[in-house]
Amino acid sequence: MTTELGVRRLLAAAGQAPSVLNTQPWRLDVVRHEFVELLADPDRRLRVSDPRGRSQHVSCGAALFNLRLAVRAAGFRPVVWLLPGGQDEPHLLAAVRAAEAPGGRHGGRELYELIWRRRTNREPFSAEPVPPDVLAGLRIAASREGANLVLLDRAGAEEVLDQAATADDELTGDHDYQAELAAWTTPGPRHDGLPPYVRGPRPAGEPVPVRSFGRRAGSARFERHPQIAVLTTPGDRPVDWLRAGQALQRMLLVATLHGVSASFLNQPLDLRDMRGRRDPRHRRGHPQMIIRLGYGPYVARAPRRPARELEISHV
């Protein structure tokens, strides 16, 4: 954090994280060349679909994991404080200090280099299932960050797809929700969000294993039996959401390592948050992300905010 190049590497890595509707709702503040603060960007909060800020925290947690990897790749050990500001500074989500690593080891280099290869893939996947050993690796990745990846069987996946379809129908009639969605998916002066080229085709027939983003160019048949997983956490507080984001990104990078693609079906979770509902306590935890896994084609990267927009100050 003492050089301009070092700071740029941190900004670049954090900026590649996945986020809800590609809002990239984070900013970074490098303080006295000693530590970097990760803050939620209130201007990029989805006020309608994310009233609790859950999705924003999950997104920022993914950026935090990338930040940790960048520190490790530089030969240091990241020391992390979650929510260091407490209730007095609710936008301050984490602080990271670079400590000396034992023997100057460059841990995490493999995952760090995958940061730029990871994509959210909304295209049809092949019928080839993800092998059990790869799925086990994804579960281990999530567990290392304090989360649980629940792999659904065919009946469970069909039930979740039905829930997503029902939620989609209800959200279609919510004008405020649709307006917010359009603000991040309609071409215009905004340089990020979800442009048409990353939204994927419109599903032809059933099931519908991808989120609806309104009008799309073309249609295609998707896999008949999508593989669905649910990422859960023991609690459902801001600190749990941040851990879910870190678990999500670790799992996605491990998936990328094995050539596995992923997209998300979070409409039921959006509807739950918007209606102020709470999940009953379940032994597997509270759902934070619904993930579709499989083998998809190469897709383009969604646009990213310029690094200079992410940095609050550099003193």
Side-chain angles (χ1 to χ4, degrees), residues 214-291:
R215 297 178 62 183
R216 304 184 192 183
S219 62
R221 287 203 169 272
F222 283 70
E223 62 272 24
R224 185 176 179 183
H225 299 294
Q227 286 187 273
I228 304 295
V230 180
L231 185 73
T232 70
T233 52
D236 193 32
R237 302 166 299 160
V239 68
D240 299 296
W241 306 336
L242 287 173
R243 290 183 179 131
Q246 293 174 88
L248 174 69
Q249 181 63 348
R250 182 185 284 274
M251 184 272 294
L252 291 176
L253 293 178
V254 172
T256 302
L257 177 65
H258 292 284
V260 174
S261 299
S263 62
F264 309 105
L265 279 165
N266 290 326
Q267 306 95 301
L269 305 183
D270 287 349
L271 193 61
R272 175 196 66 184
D273 292 344
M274 291 167 62
R275 302 297 183 259
R277 298 169 184 163
R278 292 291 185 271
D279 293 309
R281 184 70 179 91
H282 191 278
R283 63 182 178 85
R284 291 188 172 184
H286 297 269
Q288 305 297 351
M289 296 292 293
I290 302 172
I291 308 162

Side-chain angles (χ1 to χ4, degrees), residues 18 33 45 47 49 59 139 179 221 258 296 314:
H33 300 293
R45 167 95 170 267
R47 305 288 177 182
S49 61
S59 301
R139 291 192 62 185
R221 287 203 169 272
H258 292 284
H314 183 186

Side-chain angles (χ1 to χ4, degrees), residues 85-115:
Q87 295 182 350
D88 295 333
E89 297 179 87
H91 296 308
L92 178 56
L93 303 185
V96 181
R97 181 171 64 84
E100 291 296 328
R105 290 179 298 181
H106 289 232
R109 169 64 68 174
E110 187 176 40
L111 291 185
Y112 171 75
E113 293 176 348
L114 291 168
I115 287 174

Side-chain angles (χ1 to χ4, degrees), residues 38-116:
L38 174 71
L39 298 98
D41 188 339
D43 294 334
R44 287 173 171 255
R45 167 95 170 267
L46 299 175
R47 305 288 177 182
V48 177
S49 61
D50 189 28
R52 293 198 293 162
R54 186 190 61 82
S55 292
Q56 185 179 53
H57 279 68
V58 172
S59 301
C60 289
L64 174 59
F65 185 76
N66 280 3
L67 191 61
R68 288 167 50 196
L69 286 181
V71 171
R72 284 195 179 278
F76 296 88
R77 177 174 59 90
V79 179
V80 180
W81 293 267
L82 296 181
L83 304 176
Q87 295 182 350
D88 295 333
E89 297 179 87
H91 296 308
L92 178 56
L93 303 185
V96 181
R97 181 171 64 84
E100 291 296 328
R105 290 179 298 181
H106 289 232
R109 169 64 68 174
E110 187 176 40
L111 291 185
Y112 171 75
E113 293 176 348
L114 291 168
I115 287 174
W116 286 266

Side-chain angles (χ1 to χ4, degrees), residues 2 22 24 29 78 125 131 143 163 170 184 186 191 231 257 312:
T2 60
N22 196 37
Q24 305 165 67
D29 192 6
F125 293 168
S143 68
Q163 292 173 359
E170 187 167 344
W184 289 95
T186 302
H191 296 293
L231 185 73
L257 177 65
I312 295 176

